[in-house]
Amino acid sequence: MNTSARRRLTAAILTVVTVTAGATACSSAEGGTSTKAADSGTYTIWDPYPQFDKASSWAKLLDDCGSEAGVKIKRTAFDTSDLTNKALLAAQQDNSADVLIVDNPVVSTLAEAGVLTTTDDNELDTSKVDPNLLAAGQSGGKTYGTPIGANTLALYYNKEVLKKAGVDIASVKDWKSLTAALAKVKKAGKKGITFSAIGTEEGSFQFLPWFWGSGAQLTALDSDQAVSALSLWKDWLGKGYAPNSVINNTQTTSWQEFASGDYAFAENGTWQLANAEKAGFEYGVIPVPGASGGDAAAPTGGEFVTIPAQGDTGRYATSQKLVSCLTSSQNLLETDTTLSYVAPTGEVQDKQVAANPGLKPWVDAVKAAKGRTSDDLGTKYPKISEQLWKAVQSALSGSASPKDALGSAQSAVK
C-alpha cells in the first residue's frame, strides 16, 4: 500500500461515520476479529449477520460456496457498526478479509480509503443487477462489489381504519390525496400516520422518500422542493395527522404505534413484514407517493458483497468465485427470503413475487429506490445526512421554520 493510500486510510479510520438505517436487527458478534489464515486453501469472509450461527442456512451457504471453489471458509460475523472499523483497521495492517459484506452506504467510505478492489480489478460480473441498486456501490465512475439484496421504505396501511374512514386506498396517489385521506381518518376518530423523525440517520432515512419525492437533491438542502417536503411533515403534526412522538420515534417505536391498530398509515420497511403478519389486523402496502404522483425514490438498505485489496492479487480469482456463488440467482432467492430483502436482479425479483404476491409493492418500491451515496456523493453523505436530520428536528419541534432550518443545514454542509 503506497503512502497516499495509507494517508487516505488513516483519515478514514479517524473520521469514519457509520451510517445505518436499522434495516436489520443484529445482536452482538460471535467471536472477535478474524485474521486471514496463512493457508492459501482457507479464505476469510466477514459479514454483518451475527444473528446467523454456524448451524444456519447462511453459514451452510458460505461453506457450500467454499467447497464449490475448492477452499475452506473461515467466517466472522460482526455488528454492522463494528464491521466498518474492523475492516479499516485490517486494511491498515494488510490483513483484510478475502470477502467483505458491508452496509451499502459504507462502500464509498471503504472505496475512497483504498480498501476495496473494483469490478475491473476482480472481474466480478454485475451486468444483471438493477442499475439503481448498483449505484450505491459506485464511486468516481467505478464499481465496488455487488448488492446481495435490498430493502427500502413504503407505506403500510390498516385496511379496517381506512374502511371506517371511507378512504379508498386506490385514491391515494400523491401528497394531496394522502393528506386528504389523513383528514378523513382523523375526522373518523382514528390516527393518521406515524414515522420516525429522530435525530439520527434513521430520521434522514425516513425523510428521504419525501425529500426526493418533492424533486429535491441532496446537494441543495434548501431548495423550494426540499422546503415543501419538510413543510408537509410539519403541517401533518400541526393538524394532528401525525403524532408529536415522531420527533423521538425510532423505526421500531414507530412500528409499535402502528401495531396498536389505531393508525391508518406507517412508513416503515420490508423488515417489518413478519411483524405485520402478527399485528392482528389486515394490512396493505403502497410505495411512498411522490408530490405530484408516481412512486417516490426511497433510500435503499441492504449490503454489498465486496472483495478487499490484497497484497497477493492471485487470491482475487477465488474470491470472485465465492462472491459469484453467493450472489447467483439460485442462492439469492433463498438468502434474500431469509433476510427479508428484495433481490437485486429482475430475474430473482420475479421469482420472489411468484412465490409471494404480497411482495409486489416492495419490488416496485425497490425499483424506484435510490442509494444514499448515489449521485457520486460518496463520503459527503454522512455530513449531509446529519444536517438534514437536524433540520427536520428543528422544524418539527418548532424552533425554526422549514425554510430557515434547511437554509441553516445547507450553510453547514458548505
Side-chain angles (χ1 to χ4, degrees):
M1 187 179 291
N2 61 35
T3 302
S4 176
R6 283 192 179 282
R7 196 173 292 125
R8 292 199 309 274
L9 183 54
T10 300
I13 293 171
L14 293 173
T15 62
V16 64
V17 177
T18 303
V19 182
T20 57
T24 55
C26 294
S27 59
S28 59
E30 49 170 276
T33 304
S34 171
T35 56
K36 184 169 60 185
D39 178 6
S40 61
T42 299
Y43 276 65
T44 56
I45 296 179
W46 291 2
D47 68 50
Y49 310 130
Q51 69 270 36
F52 299 130
D53 62 21
K54 294 179 180 179
S56 66
S57 296
W58 169 249
K60 185 177 183 300
L61 174 60
L62 297 180
D63 288 337
D64 289 346
C65 286
S67 298
E68 189 176 309
V71 297
K72 293 181 179 180
I73 297 300
K74 185 172 184 180
R75 175 217 178 197
T76 306
F78 298 93
D79 283 333
T80 298
S81 57
D82 197 28
L83 182 55
T84 306
N85 295 321
K86 288 290 196 298
L88 288 165
L89 288 169
Q92 190 179 47
Q93 298 163 1
D94 293 328
N95 191 35
S96 293
D98 292 291
V99 176
L100 181 64
I101 304 173
V102 292
D103 195 23
N104 74 66
V106 172
V107 174
S108 57
T109 297
L110 298 179
E112 291 186 28
V115 175
L116 305 178
T117 61
T118 70
T119 51
D120 291 334
D121 298 327
N122 56 49
E123 299 183 350
L124 188 63
D125 181 13
T126 60
S127 59
K128 293 183 179 180
V129 178
D130 287 352
N132 66 314
L133 300 182
L134 191 62
Q138 294 174 326
S139 180
K142 297 184 181 297
T143 302
Y144 299 86
T146 187
I148 198 167
N151 53 33
T152 193
L153 297 166
L155 293 182
Y156 288 85
Y157 62 90
N158 184 318
K159 292 184 177 182
E160 186 63 24
V161 170
L162 291 185
K163 182 179 179 181
K164 288 184 177 179
V167 175
D168 179 359
I169 192 62
S171 69
V172 179
K173 299 178 180 298
D174 51 24
W175 291 1
K176 183 178 180 180
S177 55
L178 175 57
T179 301
L182 297 178
K184 287 185 177 181
V185 168
K186 184 185 177 186
K187 187 176 181 180
K190 288 293 186 177
K191 298 176 181 179
I193 186 169
T194 180
F195 47 86
S196 169
I198 194 170
T200 68
E201 174 61 20
E202 284 189 73
S204 291
F205 190 72
Q206 289 241 318
F207 183 58
L208 280 173
W210 312 95
F211 182 87
W212 282 330
S214 73
Q217 300 293 322
L218 287 171
T219 50
L221 297 180
D222 57 350
S223 67
D224 290 343
Q225 294 94 331
V227 172
S228 72
L230 189 47
S231 296
L232 179 74
W233 272 18
K234 174 66 175 174
D235 289 346
W236 284 350
L237 263 68
K239 294 177 180 176
Y241 300 161
N244 288 327
S245 59
V246 299
I247 296 175
N248 297 311
N249 267 351
T250 64
Q251 292 178 111
T252 298
T253 56
S254 171
W255 178 262
Q256 290 168 350
E257 288 180 336
F258 179 67
S260 70
D262 291 330
Y263 283 85
F265 294 94
E267 181 185 1
N268 228 296
T270 46
W271 54 92
Q272 299 291 6
L273 282 171
N275 289 328
E277 294 296 331
K278 302 173 186 174
F281 53 80
E282 283 194 74
Y283 74 93
V285 178
I286 59 171
V288 176
S292 302
D295 298 344
T300 56
E303 290 78 41
F304 262 63
V305 190
T306 67
I307 299 176
Q310 301 283 352
D312 178 5
T313 58
R315 297 180 71 86
Y316 294 160
T318 298
S319 296
Q320 189 255 36
K321 289 180 182 178
L322 293 173
V323 176
S324 296
C325 175
L326 292 174
T327 58
S328 68
S329 295
Q330 179 180 352
N331 290 330
L332 275 178
L333 182 59
E334 181 178 350
T335 298
D336 287 337
T337 299
T338 298
L339 296 172
S340 291
Y341 281 170
V342 171
T345 68
E347 176 187 357
V348 183
Q349 289 168 2
D350 290 344
K351 292 179 180 178
Q352 288 181 302
V353 173
N356 181 2
L359 288 177
K360 180 64 165 61
W362 290 108
V363 170
D364 291 343
V366 164
K367 285 184 177 296
K370 186 174 180 177
R372 284 164 278 173
T373 59
S374 296
D375 299 331
D376 229 15
L377 289 178
T379 53
K380 298 174 185 175
Y381 173 75
K383 183 176 181 181
I384 294 171
S385 174
E386 181 180 3
Q387 296 307 319
L388 187 59
W389 82 56
K390 286 181 176 179
V392 170
Q393 287 270 299
S394 293
L396 298 191
S397 67
S399 62
S401 69
K403 182 177 178 63
D404 289 344
L406 289 166
S408 297
Q410 183 62 25
S411 296
V413 169
K414 286 182 177 179

